Amino acid sequence: KNEVEQSPQNLTAQEGEFITINCSYSVGISALHWLQQHPGGGIVSLFMLSSGKKKHGRLIATINIQEKHSSLHITASHPRDSAVYICAVRLRVEAAGNKLTFGGGTRVLVKP
Amino acid sequence: DGGITQSPKYLFRKEGQNVTLSCEQNLNHDAMYWYRQDPGQGLRLIYYSQIVNDFQKGDIAEGYSVSREKKESFPLTVTSAQKNPTAFYLCASSIAGRGYEQYFGPGTRLTVT
C-alpha cells in the first residue's frame, strides 16, 4: 500500500462545477503539498500545509492531521484548471530532511 | 527571472548508451533533487544533494549517477545499467533544510529504444 493515496484517479467536470480531490496518508508528516502538473509536464506548487486551511483564488486546501487526510477544492472550475493534481508529504522523521513522498496524482478534465 | 531549466525537453537514445540530463538553477538554492515519473505512478526520488560536492541516493538510484560540482548545476546520467530508462525526469531545488518548498523544472522526457 502506498504511503500517499489520492482519489479519484480521474475526474471530469463541467465548467463551473465544484471539484474536490482527496489525499490520505499513512505516515506522520510535518507538511503536505499540493502541486499542479500541466499537460506539458511542468509542476507548480499550489499549497504547503501543516494545519488548517489555505485559500488562493478559486483553490482551497484543507488538512486534518488527526485523520491524516487533506482535500483540494476548486470552486467555479474552468477548462484551464485541467491538469494533474499531485499530493506530496514531507515525513516528520528528521532524517528525511526535505524529501517528499508523492501520491499518484488526480487527472482533472474540465469541459466547457 | 529566477528558475530551473532542464534541457532538452525531449531526448531520444539507443539502448546501451549513457545519456546525461541537464538541470540548472539560478535560485541560489543549496538543495537539488532528481525525480522520475512513470505513467500512473507518483514521482520517485532518484538522487538528491543538500550541498555542493555531496549527494545521496534516493529510492530508485540504481542505474543512475549524479554530480554536484557547482551550486547551480546537478546533472543526471542515465546509464546503460538502468533497465527501464524511458520516463519523464524532473529536477527540483529548494533551500536546504526542512520546511522549504521545492521548485520544479519543466522536465525532460527520455525515450530509449
Side-chain angles (χ1 to χ4, degrees):
Chain A
K1 191 180 188 298
N2 292 335
E3 291 175 319
V4 182
E5 296 276 0
Q6 286 185 238
S7 63
Q9 285 189 313
N10 295 282
L11 186 158
T12 300
Q14 287 298 131
E15 183 172 356
E17 286 185 344
F18 182 85
I19 290 172
T20 296
I21 302 166
N22 297 298
C23 176
S24 296
Y25 52 92
S26 56
V27 293
I29 69 168
S30 61
L32 181 143
H33 298 251
W34 280 104
L35 310 167
Q36 182 189 54
Q37 185 172 32
H38 276 283
I43 290 179
V44 173
S45 179
L46 298 174
F47 295 103
M48 184 169 67
L49 292 164
S50 54
S51 64
K53 176 179 173 178
K54 286 191 175 180
K55 184 175 189 291
H56 185 256
R58 294 180 295 104
L59 301 177
I60 302 167
T62 63
I63 187 168
N64 184 319
I65 296 292
Q66 286 72 31
E67 294 186 4
K68 295 186 175 172
H69 181 268
S70 175
S71 293
L72 176 68
H73 305 288
I74 306 174
T75 63
S77 60
H78 190 276
R80 64 175 174 267
D81 297 324
S82 297
V84 176
Y85 293 84
I86 300 170
C87 171
V89 301
R90 183 180 311 114
L91 300 183
R92 191 187 299 145
V93 176
E94 189 65 33
N98 207 28
K99 291 190 294 180
L100 298 176
T101 300
F102 295 81
T106 295
R107 186 173 300 275
V108 171
L109 174 63
V110 181
K111 294 183 175 180
Chain B
D1 281 327
I4 301 176
T5 57
Q6 291 184 244
S7 60
K9 189 162 179 65
Y10 299 96
L11 191 54
F12 298 88
R13 280 294 182 272
K14 294 289 186 186
E15 196 174 320
Q17 293 179 334
N18 291 354
V19 58
T20 297
L21 280 60
S22 155
C23 177
E24 305 277 332
Q25 54 96 1
N26 61 2
L27 299 167
N28 200 33
H29 286 165
D30 284 307
M32 297 186 74
Y33 313 81
W34 272 107
Y35 295 97
R36 170 183 172 136
Q37 187 178 38
D38 295 283
Q41 294 192 40
L43 277 72
R44 291 181 290 168
L45 182 65
I46 304 171
Y47 268 98
Y48 64 103
S49 168
Q50 303 272 44
I51 197 167
V52 173
N53 292 322
D54 188 44
F55 48 83
Q56 288 80 39
K57 292 181 180 180
D59 301 317
I60 54 164
E62 186 175 349
Y64 299 98
S65 66
V66 293
S67 63
R68 187 82 189 279
E69 297 176 3
K70 298 188 299 182
K71 187 176 186 177
E72 303 80 19
S73 178
F74 191 39
L76 173 75
T77 297
V78 184
T79 75
S80 55
Q82 168 50 234
K83 294 176 184 172
N84 296 298
T86 295
F88 187 59
Y89 291 88
L90 282 153
C91 177
S93 72
S94 74
I95 296 171
R98 292 172 62 76
Y100 295 102
E101 188 176 345
Q102 291 187 22
Y103 293 82
F104 288 84
T108 292
R109 190 167 299 279
L110 173 65
T111 302
V112 176
T113 56

